[in-house]
C-alpha cells in the first residue's frame, strides 16, 4: 500500500482517510466556514412559510432546495420562488426534472436499480434535462441540483460557451452516490460548484475529501427515514471544523422520503431543526464563522 499512498500524495490527493481530523483553513469567498441549506421545499407557499419561520428564529438561510424537479412546477410557481429568494437574499436551487425516477424504465425502482442512483438513461433524457434548466433560467433561477455526471459535464460546457449564464451554479446530488476524494475531484473537474456526498460519510472521510477539493461540500445533518434517518447534530461542529466551506443541509428528518411534498407545518419544523443545529454550533464551536446575509457566490 505504501507505493499507492505515495502516488496519491504525489498527485495532490490524500493518502487515505484523515483520521487526525485536521482543521480546514478553506473558506467561502466571504470568509464564512458554514452556511445553512433547507431541502425539500417543493413550491412557493411552503417556501414563504419557511423563510418567515427562519426570520422568527433570527437565523439567516443561505439556500432553499426544491427536489421534485423543475418540470413539476408551473411558470408562475418558478417566478414566485425566484422572487422570494431575491427578497430573502437566499439562493434558490431547483432540481433538474428528468431523471431515473421519472423515466419509462422501472430499473431504478428495483433492488438492482438502487446502484444507478438518479442518473439519466439515453440522450433524449439529457436533452430534456437541459431544456428543464433553460426554462428555469428564463425565469431568473441560476442554481441547479444535478443527478448525472454526464449532464453536469454538458451543463458546464454550455456555461463556458455562453449557452447558459456564466453565473449558473451546479450542485451535485447525494443520489449520485459519491463518497471519496477521487470522485469529488472528478466532479470538481466536471464543473460542480458544490458536492453532496453520501449521507453516511464519516468525519475522517469528509476531512480527506476536503483536502482534495476547494469547492463547498454539502452535508446532511439529518435525513428522512427512507435514506437512513440519521440525525447527526452532535457531529456538526466537527463537520464544520474539518470540512469548511460547508453547507449544512438541515431539516430532512421532517420528511418521510427524498421528494416529500412538505406542508407549511413541515416548513416550520424544518426551520426549528436549523435552530437546533445552530445551538450545537453556538455551544460546541462558538468561534465558527457563519457566512453573512447576501454573500452567496
Amino acid at each position: 500500500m505504501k507505493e499507492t499512498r505515495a502516488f496519491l500524495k504525489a498527485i495532490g490527493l490524500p493518502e487515505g482517510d484523515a483520521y487526525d481530523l485536521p482543521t480546514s483553513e478553506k473558506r467561502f469567498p466571504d470568509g464564512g466556514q458554514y452556511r445553512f441549506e433547507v431541502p425539500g421545499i417543493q413550491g412557493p407557499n411552503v417556501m414563504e412559510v419557511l423563510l418567515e419561520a427562519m426570520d422568527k428564529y433570527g437565523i439567516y438561510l443561505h439556500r432553499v432546495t426544491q427536489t421534485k424537479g423543475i418540470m413539476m412546477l408551473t411558470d408562475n410557481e418558478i417566478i414566485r420562488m425566484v422572487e422570494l429568494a431575491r427578497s430573502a437574499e437566499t439562493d434558490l436551487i431547483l432540481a433538474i426534472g428528468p431523471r431515473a425516477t421519472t423515466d419509462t424504465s422501472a430499473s431504478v425502482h428495483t433492488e438492482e436499480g438502487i446502484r444507478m442512483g438518479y442518473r439519466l438513461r439515453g440522450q433524449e433524457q439529457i436533452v430534456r434535462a437541459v431544456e428543464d434548466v433553460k426554462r428555469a433560467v428564463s425565469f431568473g433561477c441560476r442554481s441547479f441540483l444535478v443527478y448525472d455526471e454526464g449532464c453536469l459535464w454538458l451543463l458546464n460546457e454550455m456555461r463556458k460557451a455562453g449557452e447558459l449564464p456564466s453565473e449558473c451554479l451546479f450542485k451535485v446530488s447525494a443520489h449520485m452516490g459519491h463518497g471519496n476524494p477521487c470522485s469529488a475531484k472528478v466532479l470538481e473537474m466536471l464543473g460542480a460548484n458544490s458536492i453532496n456526498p453520501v449521507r453516511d460519510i464519516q468525519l475522517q472521510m469528509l476531512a480527506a475529501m476536503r483536502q482534495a477539493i476547494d469547492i463547498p461540500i454539502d452535508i446532511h445533518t439529518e435525513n428522512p427515514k427512507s435514506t437512513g434517518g440519521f440525525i447527526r447534530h452532535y457531529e456538526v461542529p466537527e463537520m464544520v471544523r474539518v470540512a469548511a466551506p460547508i453547507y449544512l443541509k438541515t431539516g430532512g428528518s421532517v420528511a418521510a422520503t427524498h421528494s416529500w411534498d412538505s406542508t407549511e407545518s413541515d416548513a416550520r419544523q424544518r426551520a426549528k431543526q436549523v435552530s437546533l443545529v445552530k445551538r450545537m454550533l453556538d455551544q460546541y464551536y462558538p468561534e465558527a464563522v457563519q457566512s453573512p446575509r447576501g454573500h452567496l457566490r
Side-chain angles (χ1 to χ4, degrees), residues 17 35-36 48 70 74 100 111 126 134 172 201 240 249:
D17 291 334
R35 296 176 177 179
F36 284 114
E48 186 169 12
I70 297 163
T74 67
E111 288 187 16
I126 292 288
K134 286 182 175 180
V172 169
I201 192 168
V240 172
K249 195 169 179 180

Side-chain angles (χ1 to χ4, degrees), residues 66 69-71 73-75 77-79 81-82 86 92-97 128-145 164-165 168:
Q66 184 259 13
I70 297 163
M71 66 181 185
L73 295 170
T74 67
D75 291 355
E77 286 174 325
I78 296 173
I79 291 168
M81 293 179 83
V82 169
R86 286 175 178 167
L92 171 66
I93 298 181
L94 297 182
I96 298 175
R128 293 164 186 168
V130 171
E131 289 299 300
D132 228 23
V133 171
K134 286 182 175 180
R135 174 173 173 241
V137 163
S138 72
F139 295 123
C141 183
R142 293 294 184 268
S143 297
F144 300 94
L145 183 59
L164 292 174
C168 281

